[in-house]
Amino acid sequence: MLGEFEYLILTAAAGLGDKAYGAAIREEIEAATGRKCSLGALYTTLDRLEGKGLLETWMGEATAKRGGRSKRMVRVTGDGAKAAKGFYDSVMRISRGVAWVADKSGGAR
Amino acid sequence: MTGVGWRCVEAAASLLEEREREAVLGDLAEAEESVWRGMADVVGLAIRRQAAPWRSWRPWAAGFALAWPGSLFLMGLSLSVSHGIRRWMDAAFSSGASSSAQDLPILLLHILLLTAGAWTAGVVLGAVSRRTLWVSIFLCCLPCTYCMAEFPSGVLQSLCLFLFLVPAFWGVRLGLRGVRLRRDFAVILAVGLTLAALPVWRSGASLFWSAAMIWPGWYLAASGRSRSEKHI
């Protein structure tokens, strides 16, 4: 089963599609969670996910905005999508009926 | 990304592999991060990368069960060989050929043991701890530095302690290239080194020091290739 951060990376990468790379994934995660995401955690987790065959990475184009440096592009594999869906389904199943899900206003009863 | 601060970040990024350095510095430039956050990101990633191999048993075994005790053992053997050579040369040039011929087989055996032991340890060190080789080298240097400081009796005599380094470096090179020995040859090597190390253990040295000479040979035997496998 995936970890929470692994799920966030897979989901952010899948959402970004062809534009998924280090800085963009980090921006997505920080925007969604409201927490800082270190590049150390991001890149080591990318390696781990790639090792598990859940995503693929390759060096992409260099842009002037990046000081002429290349991007590490990311693509979620079929296994990655399956693992992320499994994690999402588990979270949804276990969350059924709990206070913060039932209470749509967001506050605990 | 200009200024002294970013120069420091770029210098710190040299700890990363080339492709990763490229991607990380590019990400930082694109996100227009502050120097402090950039430095924290780069240093944090470098620390994670250096720490990652230590989750495995391999660098621990290479450093603390081979490089450190093995260098002490091999230094002693180097000293014994260099004294043996000196004694043999003295005997050859003063007493004549008969007494020098008596010492020669033992001296040759010691040279063989030193070469085989250091070479085997080097191969295993290179194969087992590629990414943490610098730590193993540091742990190997610790006893060497201690001995040089403790017995500062001339450069030549100090160098005699390090005869083992030549076959050891040769072995490390092979180990780094991922060379696998033929299993039958590796077993002969392992048996030879075990038989040679056992008297040392029985003479009072702890099993820990003797084991540093024994296990590399058996590791090579276990990971060796059979006759039918092609050489890698």
Side-chain angles (χ1 to χ4, degrees):
Chain A
M1 178 133 169
L2 292 175
E4 176 204 351
F5 191 57
E6 291 175 328
Y7 174 76
L8 288 174
I9 289 178
L10 284 174
T11 308
L16 286 162
D18 291 343
K19 291 173 187 148
Y21 62 96
I25 293 173
R26 173 154 95 153
E27 209 179 307
E28 284 284 304
I29 291 173
E30 288 184 349
T33 62
R35 285 184 300 183
K36 292 279 181 196
C37 166
S38 79
L39 279 182
L42 178 67
Y43 276 96
T44 48
T45 311
L46 281 178
D47 282 356
R48 192 165 62 243
L49 290 170
E50 192 171 23
K52 289 179 186 173
L54 304 181
L55 52 77
E56 297 166 341
T57 71
W58 70 98
M59 294 308 283
E61 68 192 65
T63 61
K65 196 181 172 190
R66 297 171 59 83
R69 293 189 167 95
S70 303
K71 298 169 179 174
R72 184 176 176 184
M73 304 302 294
V74 177
R75 183 191 299 129
V76 179
T77 63
D79 285 347
K82 212 180 287 177
K85 183 164 183 344
F87 182 91
Y88 176 78
D89 288 344
S90 303
V91 170
M92 293 303 284
R93 271 195 301 274
I94 203 163
S95 305
R96 261 181 224 142
V98 296
W100 54 86
V101 174
D103 181 2
K104 301 288 184 191
S105 66
R109 278 182 288 191
Chain B
M1 286 181 78
T2 52
V4 179
W6 281 111
R7 292 259 176 269
C8 293
V9 174
E10 284 175 354
S14 62
L15 292 168
L16 304 172
E17 283 176 12
E18 194 183 342
R19 277 164 45 120
E20 191 155 68
R21 182 166 62 236
E22 182 92 352
V24 166
L25 290 176
D27 286 350
L28 291 175
E30 189 179 326
E32 295 176 354
E33 294 291 359
S34 68
V35 170
W36 291 113
R37 189 163 182 213
M39 183 59 94
D41 275 333
V42 167
V43 172
L45 180 56
I47 289 171
R48 280 168 188 264
R49 290 288 183 227
Q50 293 298 325
W54 293 92
R55 280 186 292 216
S56 156
W57 61 271
R58 289 164 166 261
W60 296 100
F64 294 97
L66 181 56
W68 178 50
S71 63
L72 267 176
F73 191 99
L74 290 167
M75 260 194 306
L77 204 55
S78 297
L79 205 60
S80 160
V81 165
S82 57
H83 283 174
I85 291 172
R86 190 173 301 162
R87 265 201 312 274
W88 178 76
M89 286 176 75
D90 286 348
F93 291 114
S94 59
S95 323
S98 61
S99 69
S100 65
Q102 284 174 350
D103 294 338
L104 195 58
I106 295 171
L107 178 61
L108 289 177
L109 191 70
H110 278 182
I111 291 173
L112 187 68
L113 179 61
L114 176 70
T115 310
W119 183 82
T120 308
V123 174
V124 174
L125 212 59
V128 161
S129 66
R130 272 172 214 184
R131 289 174 64 191
T132 55
L133 191 60
W134 60 275
V135 178
S136 298
I137 290 172
F138 173 74
L139 286 168
C140 174
C141 289
L142 272 184
C144 299
T145 316
Y146 172 78
C147 285
M148 279 185 80
E150 198 69 9
F151 311 108
S153 48
V155 176
L156 192 63
Q157 214 155 357
S158 299
L159 288 178
C160 290
L161 288 167
F162 307 120
L163 289 179
F164 74 94
L165 287 179
V166 178
F169 278 129
W170 174 29
V172 167
R173 273 195 66 193
L174 292 177
L176 287 173
R177 281 166 45 195
V179 169
R180 286 168 67 203
L181 301 188
R182 250 178 52 188
R183 186 163 292 135
D184 45 5
F185 172 69
V187 168
I188 293 169
L189 193 65
V191 170
L193 286 172
T194 305
L195 291 176
L198 283 179
V200 180
W201 177 33
R202 291 181 65 185
S203 70
S206 80
L207 179 63
F208 177 67
W209 304 109
S210 316
M213 288 301 292
I214 295 171
W215 79 262
W218 291 107
Y219 176 85
L220 290 182
S223 60
R225 62 193 165 89
S226 59
R227 273 171 191 269
S228 54
E229 280 183 84
K230 284 188 176 172
H231 181 74
I232 297 173

